[in-house]
Amino acid sequence: MAKQDYYETLGVVRGANADQLKKAYRSLAMKFHPDRNPGDKAAEHKFKEVSEAYDVLKDDQKRAAYDRFGHRAFGNGAGGRQDGFDAGGGFADIFEEMFGEFMGGRRGQQARQRGGDLRYNMEISLEEAYAGKQATIRVGALAVCEACSGSGAEKGSKPIVCPACRGAGKTRHSQGFFTVEQTCSTCHGAGKTIDKPCRTCGGQGRARKERTLNVTIPPGVEDGTRIRLAGEGEAGVRSSPPGDLYIFLSVSPHKLFQREGANIYCRVPITMVTAALGGIVEVPTVDGSRARITIPTGTQTGQQFRLRHKGMSVLRASERGDMYAQIMVETPVHLTKKQQEILAEFEKTSRGKQHSPEAEGFFSKVKEFWNELKD
């Protein structure tokens, strides 16, 4: 039997936002939860479908894959929980899914114990964005305390099981129909307490330290690209998982090139004589090589010449973009009297010869416009 569309399962449109998805999930999960429908296999099956659909659609990456490939994106069709429904979880699990961030459930506990994420801003040149680079950076952050190896306890002692929550890291309180879980206020979710805190870190299991890290910048990165170094953020409290380090890249402006995606644009000034008579112009490319452009006779300002595969590298791909040489015909300045006489003679002998069709066409239209106004 074909699986039902996840959006139809939740009763939402494909463009539904996160709040609409959560609202629909809450309503359906409350309705079909096995605790409210004991022995009802149909309700239990519906609850599984609702949970599976929400697990996929609430995750941006999974949702994007589902929107593109449907259920095929996840092989067996289950993009969320692979172990199905846990009948022993009770109503506390669904309540925690909905309100955990407010009531101190497991999600909130994990977020508090995990080390903080770090941000590092790095500026690179356009050439480095094209070719990639190996960079060495120094980051000051909370790292695992060497004195206590991250335990938070003084050497010779060790943490003990929290007497308040008995090592669970959370306490439960019944409030009418619901069971509310909260992070243990004694151990703050750690499940253990320390009688003799480490003198170096004060029982946190971490201390500030400067580290040197090697970062690989891949070819083709763009301004604003974010690189994630998993586990290189701040150390967690008392051996909890560390956070991540995010490298935010900015590409500095280039004196010759302008970038648009994988393509490179370069303004190339040429003399009036070259534009009129034609010739060959040599231009630089972003990889440091040189390219030759044949300028045909009568070239105008604004004409572009495409150099295939001379643009930027494409991130995580082997191809390159193109380079566009944008011609700018330069009007000569600081002319000698002799040069002025030559140009004046050229202008005199050019009348009626249509050497400047664009200008002649423009002024012809201007003349017609003025005549229409007189009429």
Side-chain angles (χ1 to χ4, degrees), residues 150-173:
S151 70
E154 188 67 28
K155 189 175 182 179
S157 65
K158 59 182 181 179
I160 61 174
V161 175
C162 174
C165 64
R166 299 180 182 179
K170 57 190 176 181
T171 56
R172 290 192 176 194
H173 305 281

Side-chain angles (χ1 to χ4, degrees), residues 41 101 122 146 262 298 320 328:
K41 295 295 184 182
E101 62 266 36
M122 180 186 296
E146 297 179 356
R320 287 178 61 179
M328 181 183 69

Side-chain angles (χ1 to χ4, degrees), residues 48-60:
K48 290 181 181 180
E49 291 183 337
V50 169
S51 299
E52 179 181 308
Y54 182 62
D55 282 340
V56 170
L57 299 183
K58 72 179 181 180
D59 185 289
D60 290 341

Side-chain angles (χ1 to χ4, degrees), residues 6 56 61-63 65-66 70-80 82:
Y6 284 151
V56 170
Q61 293 183 346
K62 290 181 181 178
R63 182 175 181 176
Y66 178 74
H71 296 295
R72 293 181 293 112
F74 307 106
N76 62 359
Q82 299 298 316

Side-chain angles (χ1 to χ4, degrees), residues 334-374:
H334 307 305
L335 298 176
T336 65
K337 186 176 180 179
K338 179 64 174 178
Q339 290 170 327
Q340 293 176 7
E341 292 173 352
I342 293 174
L343 288 179
E345 180 64 22
F346 172 77
E347 174 68 15
K348 182 179 179 180
T349 58
S350 297
R351 292 172 185 172
K353 300 294 181 62
Q354 296 185 340
H355 292 306
S356 302
E358 188 170 341
E360 292 172 2
F362 172 78
F363 287 111
S364 176
K365 293 177 182 178
V366 170
K367 185 176 180 180
E368 292 176 3
F369 175 70
W370 283 338
N371 290 334
E372 290 173 359
L373 289 178
K374 291 178 182 180

Side-chain angles (χ1 to χ4, degrees), residues 114-292:
R114 178 180 176 273
D117 293 334
L118 297 177
R119 171 173 179 151
Y120 186 94
N121 297 325
M122 180 186 296
E123 184 176 62
I124 61 175
S125 66
L126 186 66
E127 290 87 350
E128 291 171 334
Y130 162 77
K133 66 175 294 188
Q134 294 290 329
T136 300
I137 63 174
R138 295 186 66 83
V139 179
L142 292 173
V144 174
C145 176
E146 297 179 356
C148 64
S149 300
S151 70
E154 188 67 28
K155 189 175 182 179
S157 65
K158 59 182 181 179
I160 61 174
V161 175
C162 174
C165 64
R166 299 180 182 179
K170 57 190 176 181
T171 56
R172 290 192 176 194
H173 305 281
S174 297
Q175 293 183 358
F177 186 69
F178 297 106
T179 298
V180 180
E181 289 186 355
Q182 293 180 309
T183 301
C184 177
S185 59
T186 302
C187 65
H188 304 290
K192 296 181 180 181
T193 59
I194 298 175
D195 286 338
K196 297 181 179 180
C198 171
R199 299 175 186 176
T200 302
C201 64
Q204 290 290 308
R206 54 185 186 171
R208 185 159 294 278
K209 181 181 179 181
E210 191 173 69
R211 294 175 296 150
T212 300
L213 299 173
N214 294 320
V215 181
T216 299
I217 309 298
V221 294
E222 297 189 37
D223 192 78
T225 296
R226 186 183 71 173
I227 297 175
R228 173 174 171 260
L229 300 182
E232 296 294 350
E234 291 190 332
V237 177
R238 300 175 191 171
S239 300
S240 295
D244 300 329
L245 172 63
Y246 291 91
I247 310 294
F248 284 79
L249 301 176
S250 61
V251 181
S252 57
H254 198 276
K255 59 185 177 182
L256 292 177
F257 305 119
Q258 293 81 45
R259 177 184 184 181
E260 289 187 14
N263 294 328
I264 289 290
Y265 293 83
C266 179
R267 294 183 64 190
V268 181
I270 63 174
T271 66
M272 184 178 67
V273 174
T274 301
L277 302 181
I280 294 178
V281 176
E282 197 171 64
V283 296
T285 61
V286 71
D287 60 9
S289 63
R290 301 179 182 184
R292 303 183 77 186

